[in-house]
């Protein structure tokens, strides 16, 4: 499927989209041609670059079904976007934030850092008898101001039911923040259906884009809840009018972008997103989950050799499949695979595979054979 779009070296089996994705051919081409343009005519056509910036926002808005493109900002990375939320809200001593005990450090440290304001961070345990959503919702009390979760957990691959958590947040009148870096571009998300207030994702994983340019979605109604921590020319209503000493904040999410955009990253991401939209998220999601299902079934059937970490239920995983060998230490297995040019990641003492929609089935078979040898 769209194999001509991928020019990965044939010797490589790339099962690491949950870390950093290879670029599609068109993304590499877009960066090359942007570099040539910069070198030959500089920013003569800057207005076209701004159009590309708008095109990226429009493509992201469509991808997450935002109510308006005005709810989309482009920031540096997921961690920055989480910090914009955490340090934008006004906290009172005794407030709490609910996260989970499986979060990537970026969605834990920033909340823990609010302890200096008397804010408690509560990590819902996801491995008990209750469903993950029940465990999260059970942590909410009258002092909870916000729930912040990853849509898919980076190490276990557990996929959360965002609709359920979003509905509970709405019921309790609290904010809902979702780090979608491990799902955006792999499986669908609708920010309106799951009632998210803040959503963020860098481009370098399932979106197959570059590092350092990230989606930040802020629901229009939540925009004024965030006090800004950074200021500059780009975030004001009349950006580009340097002669007017008076200014007011942009009414759109551009208010979160204080200065010059990452134009190289934007050109790259624009190309990657165009591929995703051409194929369509339903088709991508089908292929991603078929690939992970194939691996899940394999590890489930080989219980004497491997321990499967990722939940095998149909709606409980996206593109990540994590396992542990019962006979070979993880570090050794990872090194053995790396020597065979199988690119994957050790996470939490286990091996994480993360093939994308275009990963051929025969490559998965080759890797599974290697595991047996
Ligand atoms: C769930 C999750 N959030 C955030 C990040 C890091 O995001 P960034 O580098 O864009 O801040 C990662 C990276 O692995 C991740 O898995």
């Amino acid at each position: 499927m769209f194999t001509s779009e991928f020019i990965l070296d044939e010797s490589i089996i790339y099962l690491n989209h949950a870390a950093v994705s290879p670029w599609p051919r068109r993304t590499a081409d877009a960066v090359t041609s942007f570099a040539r343009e910069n070198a030959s005519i500089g920013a003569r056509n800057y207005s076209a670059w701004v159009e590309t910036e708008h095109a990226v926002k429009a493509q992201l808005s469509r991808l997450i079904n935002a109510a308006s493109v005005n709810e989309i900002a482009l920031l540096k990375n997921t961690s920055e976007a989480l910090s914009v939320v955490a340090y934008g809200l006004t906290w009172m001593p005794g407030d709490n934030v609910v996260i989970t005990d499986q979060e990537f450090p970026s969605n834990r440290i920033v909340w823990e850092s609010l302890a200096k304001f008397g804010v408690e961070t509560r990590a819902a345990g996801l491995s008990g008898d209750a469903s993950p959503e029940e465990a999260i919702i059970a942590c909410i009390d009258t002092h909870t101001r916000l729930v912040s979760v990853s849509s898919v957990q980076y190490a276990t691959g557990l996929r959360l039911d965002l609709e359920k958590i979003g509905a509970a947040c709405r019921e309790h009148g609290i904010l809902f923040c979702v780090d979608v870096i491990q799902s955006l571009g792999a499986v669908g998300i609708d920010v309106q259906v799951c009632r998210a207030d803040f959503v963020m994702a860098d481009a370098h994983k399932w979106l197959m884009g570059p590092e350092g340019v990230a989606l930040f979605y802020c629901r229009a109604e939540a925009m004024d809840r965030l006090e800004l921590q950074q200021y500059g020319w780009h975030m004001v209503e009349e950006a580009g009018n340097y002669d007017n000493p008076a200014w007011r904040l942009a009414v759109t999410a551009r208010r979160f972008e204080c200065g010059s955009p990452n134009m190289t990253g934007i050109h790259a991401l624009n190309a990657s997103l165009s591929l995703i939209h051409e194929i369509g998220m339903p088709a991508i999601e089908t292929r991603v989950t078929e690939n992970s299902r194939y691996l899940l079934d394999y590890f489930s059937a080989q219980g004497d050799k491997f321990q499967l970490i990722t939940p095998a239920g149909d709606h409980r995983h996206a593109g990540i499949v994590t396992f542990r060998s019962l006979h070979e230490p993880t570090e050794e297995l990872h090194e053995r695979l790396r020597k065979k040019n199988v690119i994957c990641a050790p996470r939490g003492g286990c091996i994480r595979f993360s093939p994308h929609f275009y990963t051929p089935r025969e490559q998965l078979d080759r890797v599974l054979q290697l595991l047996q040898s």
Side-chain angles (χ1 to χ4, degrees):
M1 190 193 219
F2 283 81
T3 42
S4 64
E5 287 283 351
F6 297 93
I7 48 177
L8 256 176
D9 195 294
E10 276 180 11
S11 66
I12 286 184
I13 297 183
Y14 206 92
L15 305 183
N16 215 16
H17 296 86
V20 178
S21 172
W23 289 355
R25 179 199 296 270
R26 65 175 73 187
T27 305
D29 289 348
V31 172
T32 306
S33 106
F34 189 61
R36 290 229 173 83
E37 180 180 339
N38 273 265
S40 57
I41 57 169
R44 189 185 71 187
N45 296 338
Y46 198 86
S47 59
W49 299 3
V50 174
E51 273 171 34
T52 304
E53 183 191 4
H54 291 160
V56 167
K57 289 184 182 178
Q59 295 203 75
L60 287 168
S61 173
R62 212 176 118 207
L63 196 60
I64 62 172
N65 193 33
S68 161
V69 70
N70 292 337
E71 298 176 313
I72 308 292
L74 297 175
L75 300 187
K76 274 205 303 281
N77 48 50
T78 322
S79 309
E80 182 182 47
L82 284 162
S83 300
V84 164
V85 176
Y87 280 82
L89 295 169
T90 308
W91 301 97
M92 301 286 286
D95 285 347
N96 70 60
V97 173
V98 173
I99 62 169
T100 82
D101 64 353
Q102 291 189 10
E103 296 299 327
F104 186 77
S106 295
N107 191 35
R108 173 175 49 80
I109 291 170
V110 72
W111 308 115
E112 288 175 348
S113 79
L114 300 175
K116 58 180 175 271
F117 303 130
V119 177
E120 179 200 353
T121 301
R122 300 180 164 182
L126 298 186
S127 20
D129 290 338
S131 76
E133 293 75 22
E134 284 165 357
I136 291 163
I137 294 165
C139 288
I140 298 174
D141 67 12
T142 51
H143 297 286
T144 305
R145 299 279 313 286
L146 171 138
V147 171
S148 184
V149 296
S150 298
S151 49
V152 172
Q153 295 300 332
Y154 79 105
T156 63
L158 167 72
R159 179 179 178 182
L160 294 176
D161 182 340
L162 298 179
E163 224 179 300
K164 218 172 245 176
I165 305 168
C169 289
R170 202 41 79 92
E171 217 171 275
H172 287 84
I174 61 176
L175 294 162
F176 186 30
C177 175
V178 193
D179 170 349
V180 296
I181 196 170
Q182 292 297 1
S183 65
L184 195 63
V187 294
I189 176 170
D190 184 323
V191 295
Q192 298 190 68
V193 169
C194 71
R195 295 164 174 271
D197 294 292
F198 312 112
V199 169
M200 52 283 292
D202 211 331
H204 58 276
K205 299 188 191 287
W206 304 91
L207 289 176
M208 304 174 291
E211 285 188 296
V213 57
L215 157 75
F216 176 46
Y217 161 83
C218 178
R219 179 182 294 280
E221 297 77 36
M223 201 93 69
D224 288 331
R225 305 275 296 267
L226 297 180
E227 192 68 42
L228 297 169
Q229 305 300 321
Q230 299 186 81
Y231 286 80
W233 67 273
H234 191 267
M235 61 194 287
V236 298
E237 200 47 42
E238 273 189 87
N241 179 359
Y242 309 126
D243 298 326
N244 184 0
W247 58 271
R248 62 195 171 91
L249 286 180
V251 295
T252 69
R254 184 162 52 76
R255 64 172 62 181
F256 301 111
E257 305 167 344
C258 61
S260 297
N262 170 3
M263 280 297 185
T264 310
I266 282 169
H267 279 73
L269 180 55
N270 191 46
S272 304
L273 287 168
S274 75
L275 177 61
I276 288 175
H277 282 296
E278 262 171 47
I279 301 168
M281 273 317 299
I284 290 178
E285 174 162 347
T286 300
R287 283 290 297 145
V288 165
T289 48
E290 274 171 10
N291 272 343
S292 42
R293 165 62 48 213
Y294 191 66
L295 295 172
L296 289 164
D297 286 350
Y298 174 84
F299 291 118
S300 302
Q302 303 270 329
D304 55 329
K305 298 196 180 85
F306 302 101
Q307 181 191 1
L308 176 62
I309 306 297
T310 303
D314 264 346
H315 301 288
R316 279 297 177 210
H317 65 91
I320 290 174
V321 176
T322 304
F323 67 97
R324 192 170 72 81
S325 164
L326 297 177
H327 306 293
E328 191 173 1
T330 293
E331 267 177 35
E332 278 171 34
L333 175 55
H334 182 250
E335 186 54 19
R336 190 161 72 77
L337 291 170
R338 197 189 62 78
K339 283 192 177 136
K340 296 282 183 190
N341 255 350
V342 176
I343 313 301
C344 59
R347 289 290 182 271
C350 303
I351 298 279
R352 181 183 72 185
F353 284 168
S354 49
H356 212 321
F357 75 94
Y358 65 90
T359 310
R361 183 60 54 84
E362 66 267 16
Q363 289 198 349
L364 299 185
D365 285 332
R366 261 166 48 209
V367 173
L368 297 180
Q369 257 172 20
L370 277 174
L371 289 181
Q372 296 286 1
S373 56

